mmCIF file of all heavy atoms in Angstrom:
data_model
loop_
_atom_site.group_PDB
_atom_site.id
_atom_site.type_symbol
_atom_site.label_atom_id
_atom_site.label_comp_id
_atom_site.label_asym_id
_atom_site.label_seq_id
_atom_site.Cartn_x
_atom_site.Cartn_y
_atom_site.Cartn_z
ATOM 1 N N ALA A 1 0.816 -1.218 0.000
ATOM 2 C CA ALA A 1 0.000 0.000 0.000
ATOM 3 C C ALA A 1 0.849 1.267 0.000
ATOM 4 O O ALA A 1 0.363 2.336 -0.393
ATOM 5 C CB ALA A 1 -0.927 -0.005 1.217
ATOM 6 N N ASN A 2 2.088 1.149 0.407
ATOM 7 C CA ASN A 2 2.981 2.306 0.485
ATOM 8 C C ASN A 2 3.971 2.379 -0.669
ATOM 9 O O ASN A 2 4.902 3.198 -0.630
ATOM 10 C CB ASN A 2 3.732 2.294 1.824
ATOM 11 C CG ASN A 2 2.879 2.821 2.969
ATOM 12 O OD1 ASN A 2 2.725 4.027 3.135
ATOM 13 N ND2 ASN A 2 2.298 1.913 3.740
ATOM 14 N N LEU A 3 3.783 1.549 -1.697
ATOM 15 C CA LEU A 3 4.650 1.636 -2.867
ATOM 16 C C LEU A 3 4.553 3.025 -3.499
ATOM 17 O O LEU A 3 3.501 3.675 -3.464
ATOM 18 C CB LEU A 3 4.268 0.568 -3.902
ATOM 19 C CG LEU A 3 4.615 -0.886 -3.564
ATOM 20 C CD1 LEU A 3 3.977 -1.830 -4.580
ATOM 21 C CD2 LEU A 3 6.127 -1.094 -3.507
ATOM 22 N N GLU A 4 5.638 3.468 -4.101
ATOM 23 C CA GLU A 4 5.690 4.750 -4.806
ATOM 24 C C GLU A 4 6.101 4.475 -6.257
ATOM 25 O O GLU A 4 7.243 4.709 -6.665
ATOM 26 C CB GLU A 4 6.700 5.694 -4.141
ATOM 27 C CG GLU A 4 6.395 6.067 -2.707
ATOM 28 C CD GLU A 4 5.251 7.068 -2.603
ATOM 29 O OE1 GLU A 4 4.846 7.617 -3.660
ATOM 30 O OE2 GLU A 4 4.756 7.286 -1.480
ATOM 31 N N PRO A 5 5.176 3.957 -7.063
ATOM 32 C CA PRO A 5 5.544 3.495 -8.401
ATOM 33 C C PRO A 5 6.119 4.605 -9.278
ATOM 34 O O PRO A 5 5.605 5.725 -9.316
ATOM 35 C CB PRO A 5 4.216 2.982 -8.974
ATOM 36 C CG PRO A 5 3.344 2.730 -7.792
ATOM 37 C CD PRO A 5 3.744 3.742 -6.779
ATOM 38 N N LYS A 6 7.183 4.258 -9.976
ATOM 39 C CA LYS A 6 7.767 5.177 -10.949
ATOM 40 C C LYS A 6 6.811 5.357 -12.135
ATOM 41 O O LYS A 6 6.743 6.423 -12.733
ATOM 42 C CB LYS A 6 9.111 4.619 -11.431
ATOM 43 C CG LYS A 6 9.919 5.590 -12.288
ATOM 44 C CD LYS A 6 10.532 6.685 -11.446
ATOM 45 C CE LYS A 6 11.530 7.509 -12.247
ATOM 46 N NZ LYS A 6 12.075 8.639 -11.467
ATOM 47 N N ALA A 7 6.063 4.272 -12.453
ATOM 48 C CA ALA A 7 5.066 4.320 -13.520
ATOM 49 C C ALA A 7 3.707 4.684 -12.917
ATOM 50 O O ALA A 7 3.235 4.017 -11.998
ATOM 51 C CB ALA A 7 4.980 2.963 -14.227
ATOM 52 N N ASN A 8 3.061 5.716 -13.449
ATOM 53 C CA ASN A 8 1.764 6.114 -12.896
ATOM 54 C C ASN A 8 0.649 5.137 -13.266
ATOM 55 O O ASN A 8 -0.467 5.239 -12.752
ATOM 56 C CB ASN A 8 1.388 7.534 -13.350
ATOM 57 C CG ASN A 8 1.054 7.607 -14.847
ATOM 58 O OD1 ASN A 8 1.373 6.702 -15.607
ATOM 59 N ND2 ASN A 8 0.433 8.706 -15.246
ATOM 60 N N ASP A 9 0.958 4.189 -14.154
ATOM 61 C CA ASP A 9 -0.034 3.183 -14.548
ATOM 62 C C ASP A 9 0.340 1.794 -14.031
ATOM 63 O O ASP A 9 -0.067 0.778 -14.596
ATOM 64 C CB ASP A 9 -0.211 3.161 -16.067
ATOM 65 C CG ASP A 9 1.114 3.064 -16.835
ATOM 66 O OD1 ASP A 9 2.182 3.059 -16.182
ATOM 67 O OD2 ASP A 9 1.069 2.990 -18.075
ATOM 68 N N PHE A 10 1.090 1.751 -12.939
ATOM 69 C CA PHE A 10 1.428 0.471 -12.296
ATOM 70 C C PHE A 10 0.187 -0.094 -11.603
ATOM 71 O O PHE A 10 -0.594 0.642 -10.999
ATOM 72 C CB PHE A 10 2.542 0.688 -11.275
ATOM 73 C CG PHE A 10 2.805 -0.504 -10.379
ATOM 74 C CD1 PHE A 10 3.570 -1.565 -10.824
ATOM 75 C CD2 PHE A 10 2.256 -0.559 -9.097
ATOM 76 C CE1 PHE A 10 3.798 -2.657 -10.008
ATOM 77 C CE2 PHE A 10 2.481 -1.646 -8.276
ATOM 78 C CZ PHE A 10 3.249 -2.704 -8.733
ATOM 79 N N ARG A 11 0.028 -1.413 -11.686
ATOM 80 C CA ARG A 11 -1.108 -2.073 -11.053
ATOM 81 C C ARG A 11 -0.674 -3.350 -10.327
ATOM 82 O O ARG A 11 0.154 -4.121 -10.827
ATOM 83 C CB ARG A 11 -2.189 -2.439 -12.083
ATOM 84 C CG ARG A 11 -2.928 -1.255 -12.693
ATOM 85 C CD ARG A 11 -3.765 -0.516 -11.679
ATOM 86 N NE ARG A 11 -4.549 0.573 -12.239
ATOM 87 C CZ ARG A 11 -4.138 1.835 -12.331
ATOM 88 N NH1 ARG A 11 -2.914 2.160 -11.916
ATOM 89 N NH2 ARG A 11 -4.931 2.769 -12.833
ATOM 90 N N ILE A 12 -1.276 -3.553 -9.154
ATOM 91 C CA ILE A 12 -1.120 -4.806 -8.405
ATOM 92 C C ILE A 12 -2.265 -5.724 -8.805
ATOM 93 O O ILE A 12 -3.431 -5.390 -8.605
ATOM 94 C CB ILE A 12 -1.163 -4.550 -6.885
ATOM 95 C CG1 ILE A 12 -0.059 -3.588 -6.445
ATOM 96 C CG2 ILE A 12 -1.064 -5.868 -6.116
ATOM 97 C CD1 ILE A 12 -0.243 -3.049 -5.032
ATOM 98 N N PHE A 13 -1.940 -6.879 -9.380
ATOM 99 C CA PHE A 13 -2.952 -7.872 -9.743
ATOM 100 C C PHE A 13 -3.090 -8.827 -8.562
ATOM 101 O O PHE A 13 -2.314 -9.769 -8.406
ATOM 102 C CB PHE A 13 -2.555 -8.596 -11.031
ATOM 103 C CG PHE A 13 -2.783 -7.777 -12.274
ATOM 104 C CD1 PHE A 13 -2.001 -6.660 -12.548
ATOM 105 C CD2 PHE A 13 -3.795 -8.102 -13.159
ATOM 106 C CE1 PHE A 13 -2.212 -5.886 -13.678
ATOM 107 C CE2 PHE A 13 -4.022 -7.341 -14.300
ATOM 108 C CZ PHE A 13 -3.230 -6.227 -14.561
ATOM 109 N N TRP A 14 -4.075 -8.569 -7.724
ATOM 110 C CA TRP A 14 -4.290 -9.223 -6.427
ATOM 111 C C TRP A 14 -5.263 -10.381 -6.643
ATOM 112 O O TRP A 14 -6.469 -10.221 -6.520
ATOM 113 C CB TRP A 14 -4.847 -8.186 -5.462
ATOM 114 C CG TRP A 14 -4.715 -8.418 -3.991
ATOM 115 C CD1 TRP A 14 -5.736 -8.674 -3.122
ATOM 116 C CD2 TRP A 14 -3.530 -8.324 -3.179
ATOM 117 N NE1 TRP A 14 -5.265 -8.759 -1.829
ATOM 118 C CE2 TRP A 14 -3.910 -8.550 -1.838
ATOM 119 C CE3 TRP A 14 -2.186 -8.089 -3.468
ATOM 120 C CZ2 TRP A 14 -2.993 -8.542 -0.780
ATOM 121 C CZ3 TRP A 14 -1.277 -8.080 -2.428
ATOM 122 C CH2 TRP A 14 -1.675 -8.302 -1.102
ATOM 123 N N ASP A 15 -4.738 -11.539 -7.012
ATOM 124 C CA ASP A 15 -5.569 -12.712 -7.333
ATOM 125 C C ASP A 15 -5.963 -13.410 -6.032
ATOM 126 O O ASP A 15 -5.274 -14.310 -5.556
ATOM 127 C CB ASP A 15 -4.787 -13.650 -8.257
ATOM 128 C CG ASP A 15 -5.598 -14.857 -8.698
ATOM 129 O OD1 ASP A 15 -6.788 -14.952 -8.320
ATOM 130 O OD2 ASP A 15 -5.038 -15.707 -9.412
ATOM 131 N N ASN A 16 -7.098 -12.999 -5.483
ATOM 132 C CA ASN A 16 -7.522 -13.478 -4.167
ATOM 133 C C ASN A 16 -8.338 -14.770 -4.297
ATOM 134 O O ASN A 16 -9.441 -14.891 -3.742
ATOM 135 C CB ASN A 16 -8.336 -12.391 -3.457
ATOM 136 C CG ASN A 16 -8.039 -12.327 -1.972
ATOM 137 O OD1 ASN A 16 -7.498 -13.248 -1.405
ATOM 138 N ND2 ASN A 16 -8.422 -11.233 -1.349
ATOM 139 N N ALA A 17 -7.781 -15.725 -5.029
ATOM 140 C CA ALA A 17 -8.506 -16.950 -5.386
ATOM 141 C C ALA A 17 -8.914 -17.786 -4.186
ATOM 142 O O ALA A 17 -9.931 -18.485 -4.217
ATOM 143 C CB ALA A 17 -7.635 -17.793 -6.326
ATOM 144 N N TYR A 18 -8.124 -17.739 -3.102
ATOM 145 C CA TYR A 18 -8.349 -18.659 -1.987
ATOM 146 C C TYR A 18 -8.735 -17.934 -0.702
ATOM 147 O O TYR A 18 -8.497 -18.426 0.394
ATOM 148 C CB TYR A 18 -7.095 -19.521 -1.774
ATOM 149 C CG TYR A 18 -6.687 -20.230 -3.039
ATOM 150 C CD1 TYR A 18 -5.520 -19.894 -3.721
ATOM 151 C CD2 TYR A 18 -7.506 -21.211 -3.597
ATOM 152 C CE1 TYR A 18 -5.173 -20.523 -4.906
ATOM 153 C CE2 TYR A 18 -7.174 -21.835 -4.778
ATOM 154 C CZ TYR A 18 -6.004 -21.490 -5.433
ATOM 155 O OH TYR A 18 -5.669 -22.111 -6.611
ATOM 156 N N VAL A 19 -9.367 -16.763 -0.867
ATOM 157 C CA VAL A 19 -9.671 -15.908 0.275
ATOM 158 C C VAL A 19 -10.544 -16.600 1.321
ATOM 159 O O VAL A 19 -10.437 -16.297 2.518
ATOM 160 C CB VAL A 19 -10.329 -14.586 -0.209
ATOM 161 C CG1 VAL A 19 -11.617 -14.850 -0.979
ATOM 162 C CG2 VAL A 19 -10.568 -13.636 0.943
ATOM 163 N N ILE A 20 -11.396 -17.548 0.910
ATOM 164 C CA ILE A 20 -12.216 -18.275 1.892
ATOM 165 C C ILE A 20 -12.004 -19.789 1.786
ATOM 166 O O ILE A 20 -12.835 -20.562 2.257
ATOM 167 C CB ILE A 20 -13.716 -17.942 1.752
ATOM 168 C CG1 ILE A 20 -14.190 -18.098 0.310
ATOM 169 C CG2 ILE A 20 -13.996 -16.524 2.235
ATOM 170 C CD1 ILE A 20 -15.683 -17.925 0.150
ATOM 171 N N HIS A 21 -10.873 -20.196 1.225
ATOM 172 C CA HIS A 21 -10.580 -21.620 1.069
ATOM 173 C C HIS A 21 -9.734 -22.118 2.247
ATOM 174 O O HIS A 21 -8.601 -22.546 2.084
ATOM 175 C CB HIS A 21 -9.867 -21.890 -0.259
ATOM 176 C CG HIS A 21 -10.753 -21.775 -1.459
ATOM 177 N ND1 HIS A 21 -11.271 -20.576 -1.886
ATOM 178 C CD2 HIS A 21 -11.221 -22.707 -2.327
ATOM 179 C CE1 HIS A 21 -12.008 -20.786 -2.970
ATOM 180 N NE2 HIS A 21 -11.992 -22.065 -3.249
ATOM 181 N N HIS A 22 -10.319 -22.060 3.430
ATOM 182 C CA HIS A 22 -9.631 -22.506 4.637
ATOM 183 C C HIS A 22 -9.824 -24.010 4.830
ATOM 184 O O HIS A 22 -10.873 -24.568 4.495
ATOM 185 C CB HIS A 22 -10.173 -21.773 5.860
ATOM 186 C CG HIS A 22 -10.266 -20.284 5.700
ATOM 187 N ND1 HIS A 22 -9.163 -19.507 5.417
ATOM 188 C CD2 HIS A 22 -11.327 -19.432 5.771
ATOM 189 C CE1 HIS A 22 -9.548 -18.242 5.329
ATOM 190 N NE2 HIS A 22 -10.850 -18.171 5.535
ATOM 191 N N LEU A 23 -8.817 -24.642 5.403
ATOM 192 C CA LEU A 23 -8.910 -26.070 5.720
ATOM 193 C C LEU A 23 -9.300 -26.312 7.173
ATOM 194 O O LEU A 23 -9.857 -27.360 7.498
ATOM 195 C CB LEU A 23 -7.568 -26.760 5.442
ATOM 196 C CG LEU A 23 -7.161 -26.905 3.969
ATOM 197 C CD1 LEU A 23 -5.744 -27.431 3.869
ATOM 198 C CD2 LEU A 23 -8.140 -27.815 3.226
ATOM 199 N N PHE A 24 -9.002 -25.353 8.027
ATOM 200 C CA PHE A 24 -9.201 -25.550 9.462
ATOM 201 C C PHE A 24 -9.859 -24.329 10.085
ATOM 202 O O PHE A 24 -9.847 -23.232 9.515
ATOM 203 C CB PHE A 24 -7.848 -25.813 10.151
ATOM 204 C CG PHE A 24 -6.989 -26.827 9.447
ATOM 205 C CD1 PHE A 24 -5.878 -26.433 8.718
ATOM 206 C CD2 PHE A 24 -7.303 -28.175 9.501
ATOM 207 C CE1 PHE A 24 -5.090 -27.358 8.059
ATOM 208 C CE2 PHE A 24 -6.528 -29.111 8.848
ATOM 209 C CZ PHE A 24 -5.420 -28.709 8.121
ATOM 210 N N GLU A 25 -10.427 -24.515 11.271
ATOM 211 C CA GLU A 25 -10.998 -23.386 12.004
ATOM 212 C C GLU A 25 -9.909 -22.368 12.343
ATOM 213 O O GLU A 25 -10.126 -21.164 12.323
ATOM 214 C CB GLU A 25 -11.679 -23.879 13.290
ATOM 215 C CG GLU A 25 -12.971 -24.653 13.061
ATOM 216 C CD GLU A 25 -14.088 -23.785 12.501
ATOM 217 O OE1 GLU A 25 -14.093 -22.570 12.788
ATOM 218 O OE2 GLU A 25 -14.947 -24.315 11.772
ATOM 219 N N ASP A 26 -8.733 -22.882 12.677
ATOM 220 C CA ASP A 26 -7.585 -22.022 12.960
ATOM 221 C C ASP A 26 -6.912 -21.662 11.640
ATOM 222 O O ASP A 26 -5.894 -22.230 11.255
ATOM 223 C CB ASP A 26 -6.603 -22.749 13.891
ATOM 224 C CG ASP A 26 -5.326 -21.948 14.114
ATOM 225 O OD1 ASP A 26 -5.392 -20.708 14.036
ATOM 226 O OD2 ASP A 26 -4.263 -22.572 14.361
ATOM 227 N N HIS A 27 -7.493 -20.696 10.934
ATOM 228 C CA HIS A 27 -7.020 -20.404 9.578
ATOM 229 C C HIS A 27 -6.273 -19.075 9.533
ATOM 230 O O HIS A 27 -6.301 -18.270 10.473
ATOM 231 C CB HIS A 27 -8.189 -20.402 8.598
ATOM 232 C CG HIS A 27 -9.282 -19.418 8.945
ATOM 233 N ND1 HIS A 27 -9.144 -18.052 8.781
ATOM 234 C CD2 HIS A 27 -10.530 -19.619 9.447
ATOM 235 C CE1 HIS A 27 -10.252 -17.453 9.152
ATOM 236 N NE2 HIS A 27 -11.108 -18.365 9.570
ATOM 237 N N ASP A 28 -5.596 -18.852 8.414
ATOM 238 C CA ASP A 28 -4.881 -17.597 8.201
ATOM 239 C C ASP A 28 -5.869 -16.459 7.948
ATOM 240 O O ASP A 28 -7.004 -16.691 7.503
ATOM 241 C CB ASP A 28 -3.937 -17.709 6.998
ATOM 242 C CG ASP A 28 -2.775 -18.647 7.236
ATOM 243 O OD1 ASP A 28 -2.593 -19.077 8.392
ATOM 244 O OD2 ASP A 28 -2.047 -18.956 6.269
ATOM 245 N N THR A 29 -5.428 -15.240 8.202
ATOM 246 C CA THR A 29 -6.201 -14.052 7.852
ATOM 247 C C THR A 29 -5.312 -13.121 7.041
ATOM 248 O O THR A 29 -4.087 -13.124 7.189
ATOM 249 C CB THR A 29 -6.713 -13.308 9.103
ATOM 250 O OG1 THR A 29 -5.595 -12.960 9.928
ATOM 251 C CG2 THR A 29 -7.687 -14.175 9.892
ATOM 252 N N LEU A 30 -5.943 -12.342 6.181
ATOM 253 C CA LEU A 30 -5.216 -11.453 5.279
ATOM 254 C C LEU A 30 -5.671 -10.019 5.497
ATOM 255 O O LEU A 30 -6.869 -9.731 5.481
ATOM 256 C CB LEU A 30 -5.475 -11.861 3.819
ATOM 257 C CG LEU A 30 -4.836 -10.998 2.736
ATOM 258 C CD1 LEU A 30 -3.326 -11.154 2.725
ATOM 259 C CD2 LEU A 30 -5.427 -11.350 1.362
ATOM 260 N N LEU A 31 -4.726 -9.130 5.708
ATOM 261 C CA LEU A 31 -5.039 -7.717 5.848
ATOM 262 C C LEU A 31 -5.635 -7.196 4.540
ATOM 263 O O LEU A 31 -5.205 -7.583 3.454
ATOM 264 C CB LEU A 31 -3.773 -6.933 6.198
ATOM 265 C CG LEU A 31 -3.951 -5.463 6.616
ATOM 266 C CD1 LEU A 31 -4.733 -5.364 7.921
ATOM 267 C CD2 LEU A 31 -2.583 -4.799 6.769
ATOM 268 N N ASN A 32 -6.624 -6.316 4.645
ATOM 269 C CA ASN A 32 -7.343 -5.784 3.489
ATOM 270 C C ASN A 32 -6.481 -4.762 2.748
ATOM 271 O O ASN A 32 -6.254 -3.649 3.230
ATOM 272 C CB ASN A 32 -8.644 -5.131 3.972
ATOM 273 C CG ASN A 32 -9.523 -4.648 2.825
ATOM 274 O OD1 ASN A 32 -9.041 -4.364 1.735
ATOM 275 N ND2 ASN A 32 -10.811 -4.562 3.081
ATOM 276 N N LEU A 33 -5.989 -5.149 1.571
ATOM 277 C CA LEU A 33 -5.112 -4.269 0.807
ATOM 278 C C LEU A 33 -5.828 -2.990 0.372
ATOM 279 O O LEU A 33 -5.258 -1.897 0.435
ATOM 280 C CB LEU A 33 -4.548 -4.996 -0.418
ATOM 281 C CG LEU A 33 -3.674 -4.140 -1.347
ATOM 282 C CD1 LEU A 33 -2.433 -3.618 -0.634
ATOM 283 C CD2 LEU A 33 -3.289 -4.915 -2.598
ATOM 284 N N MET A 34 -7.066 -3.107 -0.088
ATOM 285 C CA MET A 34 -7.778 -1.914 -0.554
ATOM 286 C C MET A 34 -7.943 -0.901 0.574
ATOM 287 O O MET A 34 -7.751 0.310 0.378
ATOM 288 C CB MET A 34 -9.142 -2.298 -1.129
ATOM 289 C CG MET A 34 -9.936 -1.111 -1.652
ATOM 290 S SD MET A 34 -9.097 -0.178 -2.971
ATOM 291 C CE MET A 34 -9.544 -1.157 -4.404
ATOM 292 N N ALA A 35 -8.274 -1.380 1.771
ATOM 293 C CA ALA A 35 -8.420 -0.476 2.913
ATOM 294 C C ALA A 35 -7.098 0.221 3.228
ATOM 295 O O ALA A 35 -7.064 1.422 3.527
ATOM 296 C CB ALA A 35 -8.924 -1.244 4.137
ATOM 297 N N GLU A 36 -5.992 -0.536 3.143
ATOM 298 C CA GLU A 36 -4.677 0.052 3.397
ATOM 299 C C GLU A 36 -4.306 1.059 2.311
ATOM 300 O O GLU A 36 -3.705 2.099 2.590
ATOM 301 C CB GLU A 36 -3.617 -1.050 3.495
ATOM 302 C CG GLU A 36 -3.774 -1.966 4.696
ATOM 303 C CD GLU A 36 -3.734 -1.219 6.019
ATOM 304 O OE1 GLU A 36 -2.816 -0.391 6.204
ATOM 305 O OE2 GLU A 36 -4.633 -1.453 6.856
ATOM 306 N N CYS A 37 -4.676 0.761 1.060
ATOM 307 C CA CYS A 37 -4.364 1.676 -0.037
ATOM 308 C C CYS A 37 -5.172 2.966 0.067
ATOM 309 O O CYS A 37 -4.704 4.037 -0.338
ATOM 310 C CB CYS A 37 -4.619 0.996 -1.381
ATOM 311 S SG CYS A 37 -3.332 -0.183 -1.872
ATOM 312 N N LYS A 38 -6.372 2.879 0.598
ATOM 313 C CA LYS A 38 -7.169 4.098 0.785
ATOM 314 C C LYS A 38 -6.511 5.019 1.814
ATOM 315 O O LYS A 38 -6.591 6.244 1.706
ATOM 316 C CB LYS A 38 -8.591 3.731 1.201
ATOM 317 C CG LYS A 38 -9.422 3.162 0.057
ATOM 318 C CD LYS A 38 -10.817 2.757 0.501
ATOM 319 C CE LYS A 38 -11.619 2.208 -0.683
ATOM 320 N NZ LYS A 38 -12.963 1.749 -0.280
ATOM 321 N N LYS A 39 -5.846 4.420 2.787
ATOM 322 C CA LYS A 39 -5.143 5.219 3.788
ATOM 323 C C LYS A 39 -3.987 6.001 3.166
ATOM 324 O O LYS A 39 -3.644 7.092 3.616
ATOM 325 C CB LYS A 39 -4.595 4.317 4.902
ATOM 326 C CG LYS A 39 -5.655 3.628 5.750
ATOM 327 C CD LYS A 39 -4.988 2.712 6.768
ATOM 328 C CE LYS A 39 -6.011 1.893 7.545
ATOM 329 N NZ LYS A 39 -5.351 0.936 8.489
ATOM 330 N N THR A 40 -3.380 5.422 2.122
ATOM 331 C CA THR A 40 -2.227 6.069 1.483
ATOM 332 C C THR A 40 -2.602 6.797 0.200
ATOM 333 O O THR A 40 -1.729 7.335 -0.484
ATOM 334 C CB THR A 40 -1.135 5.018 1.164
ATOM 335 O OG1 THR A 40 -1.665 4.043 0.241
ATOM 336 C CG2 THR A 40 -0.664 4.314 2.421
ATOM 337 N N GLY A 41 -3.906 6.788 -0.137
ATOM 338 C CA GLY A 41 -4.351 7.439 -1.359
ATOM 339 C C GLY A 41 -3.955 6.700 -2.618
ATOM 340 O O GLY A 41 -3.847 7.287 -3.696
ATOM 341 N N LYS A 42 -3.768 5.372 -2.514
ATOM 342 C CA LYS A 42 -3.276 4.573 -3.651
ATOM 343 C C LYS A 42 -4.310 3.542 -4.128
ATOM 344 O O LYS A 42 -3.953 2.528 -4.720
ATOM 345 C CB LYS A 42 -1.994 3.818 -3.243
ATOM 346 C CG LYS A 42 -0.897 4.696 -2.636
ATOM 347 C CD LYS A 42 -0.073 5.373 -3.700
ATOM 348 C CE LYS A 42 1.014 6.234 -3.056
ATOM 349 N NZ LYS A 42 1.943 5.484 -2.224
#
């Protein structure tokens, strides 16, 4: 979220294919990139 791209048309391709593909109750969590980018205006 804090990247400072040299190219103004740089894009992060965030392939969130497995966002709810958990195997166990004790599963991983992922910080919301869009929310973080809004904080930095990106």
Side-chain angles (χ1 to χ4, degrees):
N2 280 281
L3 288 171
E4 298 285 349
K6 189 74 170 176
N8 70 344
D9 50 358
F10 170 81
R11 291 294 183 269
I12 301 167
F13 283 70
W14 201 248
D15 183 2
N16 218 343
Y18 305 111
V19 59
I20 51 174
H21 287 69
H22 311 301
L23 290 172
F24 313 106
E25 289 293 331
D26 175 28
H27 58 73
D28 292 351
T29 57
L30 178 69
L31 190 65
N32 185 335
L33 176 62
M34 181 59 84
E36 293 302 312
C37 283
K38 286 178 179 178
K39 294 177 186 177
T40 62
K42 308 277 180 60

